[in-house]
């Protein structure tokens, strides 16, 4: 453990004074070691709620024995989830079988769209998941996921009318600890526990990765305020899971605000790159790199990791690297890529698919037209191009050629999946598009681009801060000519 920085010492003082704290900790700034300092500064007993099991185990090894380190799910399991153990171990089954058991047996027509029992079953189960992520006490229309092609308020209302009765039936089925037709998941008992409005007995409570907290856990955490000192820690600029129900609870939390801005992961050059995106995201912090860590920003021939914006971008990168003869690993394996390839094969064979992104298309030609001509389908164009170029079988074969990270030359990951990870050298994939040009022109007659979207800026920040020693901006190089971006510092000797 290094000598505490002034920011860390200030956090310890504020903690010992008994304040509720919200600690904005930038990438690589030592948030876990800072929480360890807080815990070691008192003899009181505390709890630490982690984002996943690995983080909880790592914290348990570093924190004093007075702090109980668990995930939120483990906490809920001990209180209530253990009653459902027999159902948790039940075998997986296709969603359509669950739907059939719930009484979904006929297709539903909404406007020009025919929704198969299989697609309806998927929608019902995703509705339950979205409800479990929420702080709501009852199932409601907004928990029903949107479907491509039914995006209008009227279309979604009609879809919700069909889905909600089955979702209510599914949630009732899950209440039985012994038997049921819906496969019981860990998020189910977490939601049930939250609905009991539990009291967490502790003198202080740490919530890690707070920027990605689902509303269900946020509500439980905030409800402990009157009897427990609350410490929320995370990085608002890394709030990249909004699509999954998470929301950044840090910026509005009523507590003493503190920051950790000195990164021990990388040197000043990468910190400067991070700060360009923090500025564009209007984030509450800016980073300082460690002078003792040598870092470079420039092109890389053999990166340790390539980070992409989307699964489709990762799929294209995997195929490019395999074709060049590299041993390639893909974080979280190739299941998502294989699922997309299988969905494409079904559509090309004239069969509907149950893949949630492609469920309303009857054939591949429909998807090609949608991606090419409908503004809402632009994000699918790279996928269509990839399948049209290589074919589903080649993509499935590529997935089979993947190796594990220990034996790979290069690891491919989405930026989302790379969160919390780091590599010595990182290259940014080429699927991070620049903002589109507006109709306006600057004084030199050049088109003025649209502002960088907040979500895109946060994802870029996560991506560039995964590198320890060398960063290749790759697909984010457009930032160097973006008019409102702070200029990138030149390495020494390149002025």
């Amino acid at each position: 453990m290094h000598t505490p920085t002034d920011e860390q010492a200030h956090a310890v003082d504020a903690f010992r004074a008994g304040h509720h704290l919200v600690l904005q900790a930038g990438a690589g700034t030592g948030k876990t070691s800072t929480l360890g300092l807080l815990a070691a500064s008192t003899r009181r007993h505390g709890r630490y709620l982690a984002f996943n099991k690995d983080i909880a185990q790592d914290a348990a090894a570093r924190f004093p024995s007075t702090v109980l380190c668990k995930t939120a799910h483990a906490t809920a399991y001990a209180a209530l989830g253990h009653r459902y153990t027999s159902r948790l171990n039940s075998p997986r089954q296709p969603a359509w079988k669950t739907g059939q058991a719930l009484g979904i047996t006929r297709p539903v027509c909404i406007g020009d769209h025919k929704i198969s029992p299989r697609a309806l079953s998927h929608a019902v189960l995703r509705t339950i998941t979205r409800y479990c992520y929420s702080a709501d006490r009852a199932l409601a229309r907004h928990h029903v996921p949107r479907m491509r092609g039914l995006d209008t308020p009227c279309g979604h209302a009609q879809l919700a009318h069909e889905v909600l009765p089955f979702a209510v039936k599914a949630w009732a089925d899950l209440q039985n600890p012994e038997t049921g037709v819906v496969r019981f998941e860990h998020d189910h008992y977490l939601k049930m526990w939250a609905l009991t409005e539990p009291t967490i007995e502790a003198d202080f409570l740490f919530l890690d990765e707070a920027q990605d907290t689902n509303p269900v856990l946020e509500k439980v955490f905030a409800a402990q305020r009157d009897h427990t000192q609350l410490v929320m820690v995370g990085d608002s600029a890394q709030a990249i899971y909004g699509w999954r129900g998470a929301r950044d609870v840090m910026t509005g939390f009523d507590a003493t605000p503190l920051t950790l801005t000195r990164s021990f992961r990388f040197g000043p050059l990468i910190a400067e790159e991070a700060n360009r995106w923090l500025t564009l995201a209007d984030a509450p912090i800016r980073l300082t790199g460690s002078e003792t860590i040598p870092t470079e920003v420039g092109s890389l021939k053999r990166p340790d990791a390539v980070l992409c914006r989307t699964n489709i971008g990762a799929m294209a990168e995997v195929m490019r690297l395999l074709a060049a003869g590299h041993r390639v690993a893909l974080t979280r394996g190739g299941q998502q890529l294989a699922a997309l390839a299988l969905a494409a094969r079904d559509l090309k064979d004239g069969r509907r698919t149950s893949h949630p992104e492609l469920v309303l298309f009857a054939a591949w030609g429909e998807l090609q037209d949608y991606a090419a001509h409908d503004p809402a389908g632009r994000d699918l164009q790279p996928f269509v191009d990839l399948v049209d170029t290589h074919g589903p079988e080649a993509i499935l074969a590529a997935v089979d050629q993947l190796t594990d990270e220990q034996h790979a030359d290069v690891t491919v990951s989405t930026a989302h999946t790379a969160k919390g990870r780091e590599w010595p050298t990182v290259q940014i994939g080429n699927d991070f598009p620049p903002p589109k040009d507006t109709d306006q022109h600057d004084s030199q007659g050049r088109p003025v681009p649209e502002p960088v979207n907040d979500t895109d800026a946060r994802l870029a920040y996560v991506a560039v801060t995964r590198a320890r020693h060398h960063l290749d901006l790759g697909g984010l190089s457009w930032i160097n000519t973006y008019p409102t971006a702070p200029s990138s510092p030149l390495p020494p000797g390149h002025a």
Side-chain angles (χ1 to χ4, degrees):
M1 178 67 198
H2 53 78
T3 304
T5 64
D6 290 346
E7 289 176 322
Q8 289 174 320
H10 183 41
V12 170
D13 290 342
F15 177 70
R16 294 189 63 170
H19 301 302
H20 296 306
L21 305 179
V22 58
L23 185 59
Q24 290 279 1
T29 56
K31 66 181 173 66
T32 306
S33 56
T34 303
L35 289 177
L37 287 172
L38 303 191
S41 73
T42 180
R43 292 184 176 180
R44 295 179 299 153
H45 287 74
R47 301 283 292 265
Y48 167 88
L49 293 179
F51 197 59
N52 62 44
K53 190 175 180 180
D54 289 342
I55 294 172
Q57 289 175 338
D58 177 60
R62 299 166 69 174
F63 285 12
S65 59
T66 48
V67 181
L68 181 62
C69 302
K70 283 189 173 185
T71 63
H73 283 90
T75 306
Y77 182 84
L80 182 148
H82 63 276
R83 300 177 201 164
Y84 296 85
T85 303
S86 60
R87 288 193 66 174
L88 271 169
N89 296 328
S90 63
R92 290 185 179 276
Q93 67 172 358
W96 67 265
K97 272 197 171 181
T98 303
Q100 202 172 58
L102 290 169
I104 302 173
T105 55
R106 293 192 305 276
V108 169
C109 290
I110 299 177
D112 296 333
H113 296 291
K114 186 178 184 180
I115 302 174
S116 68
R118 186 172 293 223
L120 202 59
S121 301
H122 273 278
V124 167
L125 296 181
R126 288 174 66 208
T127 297
I128 294 295
T129 299
R130 288 161 59 94
Y131 167 60
C132 287
Y133 289 161
S134 78
D136 303 324
R137 295 202 64 83
L139 278 155
R141 180 188 294 180
H142 62 269
H143 299 130
V144 178
R146 303 255 162 198
M147 262 190 200
R148 285 186 189 272
L150 293 175
D151 298 306
T152 64
C154 180
H156 185 258
Q158 288 178 275
L159 177 65
H161 177 75
E162 299 293 343
V163 167
L164 274 177
F166 290 111
V168 169
K169 195 172 179 181
W171 185 244
D173 173 272
L174 289 165
Q175 307 309 304
N176 187 328
E178 304 300 329
T179 60
V181 299
V182 182
R183 187 169 194 268
F184 199 93
E185 307 279 356
H186 294 279
D187 285 333
H188 297 150
Y189 67 71
L190 180 69
K191 179 66 174 179
M192 292 172 186
W193 172 68
L195 289 171
T196 68
E197 300 183 353
T199 297
I200 300 175
E201 297 295 346
D203 297 319
F204 58 88
L205 184 60
F206 294 160
L207 178 64
D208 202 357
E209 298 288 352
Q211 79 283 345
D212 288 325
T213 298
N214 287 329
V216 63
L217 181 57
E218 174 203 351
K219 189 174 182 181
V220 171
F221 179 78
Q224 314 305 313
R225 174 181 289 273
D226 291 341
H227 72 276
T228 301
Q229 184 183 7
L230 302 180
V231 179
M232 187 180 273
V233 62
D235 184 354
S236 287
Q238 292 191 52
I240 57 174
Y241 286 107
W243 52 273
R244 203 179 63 186
R247 69 187 194 90
D248 174 22
V249 302
M250 299 184 69
T251 45
F253 189 64
D254 182 16
T256 301
L258 299 171
T259 58
L260 297 176
T261 60
R262 163 86 178 277
S263 182
F264 303 101
R265 179 179 295 159
F266 42 70
L269 283 178
I270 294 178
E272 286 297 329
E273 291 299 331
N275 287 340
R276 299 164 88 175
W277 299 103
L278 289 169
T279 301
L280 289 168
D282 198 22
I285 59 170
R286 300 292 181 271
L287 294 181
T288 303
S290 293
E291 297 281 354
T292 54
I293 302 176
T295 51
E296 290 182 67
V297 176
S299 62
L300 275 165
K301 285 189 177 176
R302 295 285 298 270
D304 295 301
V306 179
L307 306 185
C308 303
R309 189 175 68 92
T310 64
N311 283 316
I312 292 162
M315 185 191 291
E317 192 63 37
V318 162
M319 297 196 71
R320 183 185 71 79
L321 289 163
L322 286 172
H326 296 290
R327 288 174 300 174
V328 184
L330 182 68
T331 53
R332 302 225 177 132
Q335 296 91 338
Q336 289 173 313
L337 304 193
L340 277 165
L342 289 168
R345 187 168 71 183
D346 283 344
L347 290 173
K348 285 176 86 71
D349 289 344
R351 294 190 302 272
R352 285 188 178 270
T353 173
S354 58
H355 195 289
E357 278 292 290
L358 310 174
V359 73
L360 288 183
F361 301 103
W364 186 250
E366 268 189 35
L367 176 56
Q368 287 173 313
D369 288 345
Y370 176 77
H373 304 299
D374 192 319
R378 277 196 201 117
D379 61 318
L380 289 173
Q381 190 62 59
F383 170 60
V384 170
D385 292 342
L386 194 73
V387 173
D388 284 342
T389 302
H390 299 282
E393 300 305 329
I395 295 167
L396 289 167
V399 170
D400 285 339
Q401 290 179 57
L402 293 170
T403 186
D404 60 90
E405 288 193 48
Q406 281 185 316
H407 300 98
D409 301 325
V410 57
T411 296
V412 176
S413 174
T414 63
H416 282 96
T417 307
K419 196 164 164 297
R421 301 281 307 273
E422 56 182 57
W423 290 269
T425 65
V426 169
Q427 183 180 72
I428 307 301
N430 59 12
D431 65 336
F432 287 83
K436 295 183 180 67
D437 288 336
T438 64
D439 296 334
Q440 317 240 308
H441 292 78
D442 64 15
S443 55
Q444 275 81 44
R446 294 170 302 201
V448 175
E450 293 177 355
V452 176
N453 175 288
D454 268 6
T455 304
D456 291 341
R458 289 196 296 270
L459 194 63
Y461 162 67
V462 169
V464 301
T465 54
R466 301 308 97 196
R468 290 202 300 269
H469 298 298
H470 196 137
L471 171 67
D472 180 346
L473 277 173
L476 287 171
S477 295
W478 54 262
I479 191 67
N480 291 325
T481 55
Y482 187 75
T484 61
S487 59
S488 179
L490 290 167
H494 289 69

